[in-house]
Amino acid sequence: MKHITVSLDKRGVSCVAKLLDDVAPRTCAAVWDALPLSAPVFHGKYARNEIYTLVPAFAADPGRENTTVTPIPGDLCWFSFDSDDLGNPAYGYENTTGTGTTGAIVDLAVFYGRNNLLINGDQGWVPGNVFGAITENLDEFAAACQDLWMGGARGETLSFSRL
């Protein structure tokens, strides 16, 4: 079983997650092979208790596997977007895509609380591939995510690395 560390670097908090190779093998392989990954963090506007980062596509889209529209606390999810999907100024990114690139974008998300619903006013349902589950330090990580929501994300990075 493979494990990764997920960190909010500026806040100095990390958690451990196991990869769900048995139910999301393509997604897990894509993430594992690309680690380490780190980029600016954002807090979800629509999904509720979610933080995520946007990075230029680092692997072929794995397609849908182990998808959900109702992630639970501790779920790690993969979403694939085209830069045009996120180019609407209403999303609030400082550039048109959040990554400064055009083309395919991978959204790696961490869900830290209950009552999440993956629906977007512009796109409708947005199913994500659940590829990992936090196994250690979810409570402290969730508190840091809530601080990110209330205190702001500017200058913070979300990092994923092999354990």
Side-chain angles (χ1 to χ4, degrees):
M1 185 173 296
K2 297 175 186 165
H3 288 83
I4 62 173
T5 301
V6 182
S7 304
L8 286 169
D9 301 316
K10 185 176 172 184
R11 285 171 172 77
V13 64
S14 297
C15 59
V16 173
K18 67 178 177 179
L19 294 186
L20 303 176
D21 289 301
D22 56 333
V23 293
R26 296 183 310 272
T27 308
C28 290
V31 171
W32 183 258
D33 291 347
L35 296 178
L37 292 166
S38 184
V41 68
F42 302 95
H43 195 285
K45 287 182 173 183
Y46 304 105
R48 202 174 214 153
N49 300 299
E50 171 199 20
I51 63 167
Y52 62 96
T53 193
L54 302 172
V55 294
F58 50 81
D61 185 334
R64 291 188 178 185
E65 60 179 3
N66 197 36
T67 58
T68 189
V69 293
T70 56
I72 62 173
D75 277 352
L76 305 183
C77 289
W78 163 302
F79 302 89
S80 296
F81 296 104
D82 184 272
S83 60
D84 291 340
D85 294 333
L86 303 179
N88 182 327
Y91 290 109
Y93 300 119
E94 292 180 345
N95 59 43
T96 59
T97 65
T99 64
T101 65
T102 59
I105 296 170
V106 173
D107 170 337
L108 296 177
V110 179
F111 292 87
Y112 65 89
R114 295 174 46 98
N115 301 320
N116 302 297
L117 185 60
L118 301 179
I119 190 165
N120 175 299
D122 295 332
Q123 298 179 16
W125 296 106
V126 185
N129 291 359
V130 181
F131 70 90
I134 295 174
T135 58
E136 296 177 29
N137 207 29
L138 177 57
D139 290 343
E140 184 181 357
F141 197 80
C145 293
Q146 187 64 34
D147 180 65
L148 186 95
W149 173 246
M150 299 304 294
R154 191 172 306 280
E156 182 64 88
T157 55
L158 180 60
S159 297
F160 297 82
S161 59
R162 292 180 183 186
L163 185 61

